[in-house]
Amino acid sequence: VEQIKNSNIVIFLSSENSNQSPNVIKEIGVAVHYQKPIIPIKLDTCSYDVNIEYDLCNIDYIEYNLDKSFTIRLIDSIRVHL
């Protein structure tokens, strides 16, 4: 919790496994509670868990790929929040 409270942004790596993790669900809730900007990165096509879908539904995600556009989009998203 302290790490999230002290952070400027939270990067959420969304995958089938992370979306099933009770700890990840709690961490997203903590980030929302402390009004931390969240940058979701989708590693696969898995949908968000219902327990975090509401928190993330209005946030644009970045699809992970090995393309240069991914890196540029991630850097731009981070810059917006710093």
Side-chain angles (χ1 to χ4, degrees):
V1 173
E2 286 301 313
Q3 288 81 7
I4 294 172
K5 283 173 61 173
N6 294 327
S7 69
N8 292 322
I9 60 172
V10 172
I11 296 177
F12 169 49
L13 301 177
S14 175
S15 69
E16 184 175 356
N17 289 334
S18 68
N19 278 285
Q20 295 175 1
S21 168
N23 290 330
V24 169
I25 292 168
K26 291 176 189 174
E27 290 166 353
I28 295 294
V30 170
V32 169
H33 176 76
Y34 287 104
Q35 300 178 335
K36 299 297 179 177
I38 301 170
I39 300 174
I41 298 175
K42 291 198 124 199
L43 302 178
D44 57 27
T45 59
C46 182
S47 298
Y48 295 137
D49 182 274
V50 295
N51 295 303
I52 60 173
E53 186 174 18
Y54 180 79
D55 294 328
L56 301 175
C57 68
N58 290 323
I59 301 173
D60 290 335
Y61 63 85
I62 301 171
E63 281 190 50
Y64 175 77
N65 60 47
L66 298 175
D67 187 300
K68 182 180 178 182
S69 65
F70 165 76
T71 306
I72 292 169
R73 194 156 176 221
L74 178 58
I75 290 169
D76 288 345
S77 293
I78 292 170
R79 281 186 182 149
V80 165
H81 298 295
L82 292 180

